[in-house]
Amino acid sequence: MSSRMPKGPRFFARVYEAVRRIPRGHVATYGQVARWLGVPRGARAVGWALRALRPELEASVPWHRVVACGGRISLREGAGPQIQARRLRSEGVRFVDGRVDVTRHGVSA
DNA sequence: ATCGTGACGAACG
DNA sequence: CCGTTCGCCACGA
């Protein structure tokens, strides 16, 4: 077999799979996703995985449903934040003072 | 194996 | 409320 044989799905793949489980009209935080993966402190790694998401997978992974703590949009540059907010609004997610109302749309809220 | 990087998060001041 | 600092994690060079 290959010199390197992953025992299981790479972290990236697990992140994408977890994000796909976020119901439409709901959101989860990076920390929450990390927690689902059994890595409560891997929020940064989750963000990194989404950042590495390729255009080809963007269509199948609802990355816009992942927000930062407090329902804030982490993306700060380019059209990213605007696109994410727009997509969320499209599925009925309400924003309060520029942040997603996690108490209403949060998956674990 | 070590270092730098990043769509985080909580703690400080 | 805002900006800064520190810790944590995965990964490529």
Side-chain angles (χ1 to χ4, degrees), chain A residues 16-55:
Chain A
Y16 303 150
E17 193 175 349
V19 173
R20 275 174 227 204
R21 296 202 304 259
I22 303 175
R24 188 173 181 287
H26 293 261
V27 299
T29 66
Y30 295 92
Q32 178 65 61
V33 173
R35 195 166 168 72
W36 291 345
L37 302 179
V39 187
R41 298 196 165 161
R44 294 190 79 176
V46 171
W48 192 43
L50 292 182
R51 193 236 173 237
L53 193 58
R54 298 186 181 191

Side-chain angles (χ1 to χ4, degrees), chain A residues 66-78:
Chain A
V66 184
V67 296
C69 57
R72 296 194 314 271
I73 302 294
S74 276
L75 296 173
R76 303 178 189 194
E77 297 178 8

Side-chain angles (χ1 to χ4, degrees), chain A residues 52-71:
Chain A
L53 193 58
R54 298 186 181 191
E56 144 185 323
L57 289 175
E58 286 185 77
S60 61
V61 179
W63 57 268
H64 60 284
R65 292 178 190 153
V66 184
V67 296
C69 57

Side-chain angles (χ1 to χ4, degrees), chain A residues 2 29 34 36-37 47 67 71 73 82 93 95 101 105:
Chain A
S2 301
T29 66
W36 291 345
L37 302 179
V67 296
I73 302 294
Q82 201 168 346
V93 173
F95 278 73
D101 184 350
H105 302 288

